[in-house]
Amino acid sequence: MPSDDAVMSVLCLYILLFIDLVNTCEKSGAPVDVMLFILDSENKLIAFTDQRDQKGKSGVNCELEKGTYRLIAFTTGCRLRRRSSTQRHSRDAELLRMKDGKVAFTKDYKNVLSDIFDLFDLNGDGLLSREEFNLFNLRTSGQEVADAEWEAVEANIDLKDGEITREGFLQLNFMEAEENRDNLEELWIPLETLGFNRSLVMDELSPFLVEAFTEKGNVSLKVTKLSTTGRNFSHIFNQQIIQSAEEHRIRGGKEVFLHAQVTDYQACLVVENKSMTRATSVVIDCRDSHNVISNHNSLITTVEVPPKSSVVAHHLLPVKDSHSWTVVCQDSIK
């Protein structure tokens, strides 16, 4: 799933990390599940947020030596997922209107732009530094802010201490709107890259806030890139499940095992193929479970597991956090 990559510099013995949702982007009446993984400079998993409250805020209390650590935010995809094809064809919300013969933002569009400003104001000082504005540009266009572009920003809007104010951010977007008043699709591009649907509802992205507290010493956080998690992280995640969950041999497979990690608020099923040469197809059927939602569209799925590798078969969450839930799964070789 989409992830923000951050670096944490630590000068302390103990650290308490919390990750909280800024916009819950709720699905099925429950908050999006977001976890934070702490990796060292060698990409070794040190800890992850294994505690969570009913509002979706999760945390971890751990001991870290002085150094720099990589933080990766992760969501299972059970509640935050791409829209279905039937959801993509809603009527477009109005972005612009005419006022006294001139183009103007609609109230809803202006509010969304203001919310976007807050998302990229990472230190909460009410301003966008060039670095923060660069992250906005990377996320919405995939391009770094060149020196000439930043000079154009400085020349066209009022800055405070060399940084973009909320009003300045709106001014920049207004200039973009005036230029594309006859081509509104250009205005939808940054909105859609930030997870907004055509009704101006953010349903494909879940912003979050990371807080760090130390017993003594200090800690600093810095966003390094915006990207999706890759194969290396998948391996790290799967190994954490394999090492901590009980091993169960799958019926019909001598070298194929299921590792099921089930907590009070989530479950993960990982299939491990220990064969050196043979790939395996495994069916995992969780349809007898109660009050359960999967990262797949169905509670029954087939996974292909190459030799000497592991694959997540299911991420599972309760449909409603306030209700009891039961995970019951059957496995077999296809």
Side-chain angles (χ1 to χ4, degrees):
M1 295 301 293
S3 167
D4 286 343
D5 210 344
V7 164
M8 175 175 64
S9 297
V10 176
L11 181 58
C12 66
L13 291 177
Y14 296 96
I15 185 167
L16 180 62
L17 274 178
F18 287 110
I19 182 165
D20 198 5
L21 300 176
V22 175
N23 177 342
T24 58
C25 186
E26 291 189 357
K27 302 272 186 173
S28 304
V32 171
D33 56 302
V34 181
M35 300 175 66
L36 196 67
F37 290 79
I38 305 175
L39 280 61
D40 66 13
S41 58
E42 297 180 351
N43 266 348
K44 178 182 177 182
L45 178 63
I46 302 299
F48 62 94
T49 49
D50 55 355
Q51 306 166 33
R52 201 196 69 149
D53 64 22
Q54 292 183 345
K55 295 182 179 179
K57 186 174 184 177
S58 59
V60 60
N61 192 350
C62 61
E63 182 177 352
L64 297 176
E65 297 180 355
K66 178 182 177 181
T68 299
Y69 297 84
R70 185 179 171 207
L71 305 181
I72 296 180
F74 170 82
T75 182
T76 62
C78 292
R79 293 173 180 156
L80 182 65
R81 58 179 68 190
R82 294 194 179 279
R83 292 174 220 113
S84 67
S85 57
T86 57
Q87 293 175 303
R88 294 178 184 273
H89 300 291
S90 60
R91 181 180 176 184
D92 291 2
E94 292 186 355
L95 303 182
L96 305 176
R97 61 187 178 90
M98 297 304 295
K99 182 178 180 181
D100 300 327
K102 297 181 180 180
V103 67
F105 292 143
T106 61
K107 181 180 178 180
D108 288 343
Y109 184 37
K110 185 176 181 180
N111 288 340
V112 164
L113 291 174
S114 184
D115 288 343
I116 291 171
F117 177 89
D118 289 332
L119 291 181
F120 288 90
D121 178 15
L122 300 180
N123 61 3
D125 65 354
L127 300 169
L128 292 186
S129 64
R130 176 171 178 176
E131 184 178 26
E132 290 169 330
F133 184 64
N134 190 57
L135 287 172
F136 164 76
N137 218 53
L138 276 172
R139 177 72 192 194
T140 55
S141 70
Q143 301 294 321
E144 298 266 3
V145 176
D147 290 342
E149 292 172 309
W150 183 251
E151 290 171 2
V153 169
E154 293 177 313
N156 284 283
I157 66 170
D158 294 329
L159 304 179
K160 181 179 179 180
D161 299 326
E163 298 184 339
I164 301 172
T165 63
R166 185 183 306 273
E167 186 59 35
F169 184 73
L170 293 174
Q171 288 174 6
L172 286 173
N173 282 276
F174 182 73
M175 289 187 287
E176 186 77 15
E178 282 191 312
E179 183 179 338
N180 294 286
R181 59 190 299 181
D182 297 322
N183 184 17
L184 294 182
E185 287 301 312
E186 289 295 317
L187 302 183
W188 280 108
I189 292 175
L191 295 173
E192 291 179 336
T193 61
L194 291 172
F196 288 93
N197 63 25
R198 291 292 176 125
S199 297
L200 291 179
V201 175
M202 182 183 282
D203 63 353
E204 285 193 336
L205 185 143
S206 186
F208 56 86
L209 173 68
V210 177
E211 298 174 289
F213 304 92
T214 61
E215 185 179 77
K216 55 184 177 180
N218 57 67
V219 59
S220 62
L221 294 167
K222 179 181 179 181
V223 176
T224 55
K225 63 180 179 179
L226 305 173
S227 63
T228 57
T229 55
R231 291 184 178 180
N232 186 48
F233 177 75
S234 296
H235 174 74
I236 293 170
F237 180 90
N238 292 355
Q239 286 300 117
Q240 175 266 320
I241 300 293
I242 291 170
Q243 292 169 11
S244 61
E246 293 186 4
E247 182 178 272
H248 157 74
R249 180 180 281 110
I250 292 177
R251 290 179 300 167
K254 294 182 178 180
E255 299 177 292
V256 186
F257 298 84
L258 179 67
H259 303 266
Q261 184 184 73
V262 182
T263 69
D264 291 339
Y265 52 87
Q266 66 181 23
C268 182
L269 309 181
V270 171
V271 178
E272 181 185 18
N273 183 4
K274 295 184 179 182
S275 170
M276 297 293 292
T277 59
R278 184 177 179 181
T280 305
S281 295
V282 178
V283 178
I284 305 294
D285 185 353
C286 301
R287 289 177 295 179
D288 289 335
S289 301
H290 171 68
N291 185 35
V292 167
I293 186 174
S294 170
N295 60 312
H296 301 295
N297 292 326
S298 171
L299 287 175
I300 181 171
T301 187
T302 300
V303 293
E304 303 291 332
V305 192
K308 297 296 293 182
S309 66
S310 59
V311 174
V312 172
H314 278 292
H315 288 292
L316 301 170
L317 295 175
V319 176
K320 295 184 178 180
D321 282 346
S322 58
H323 292 55
S324 62
W325 68 306
T326 306
V327 176
V328 179
C329 299
Q330 303 294 328
D331 55 73
S332 61
I333 301 295
K334 186 175 180 179

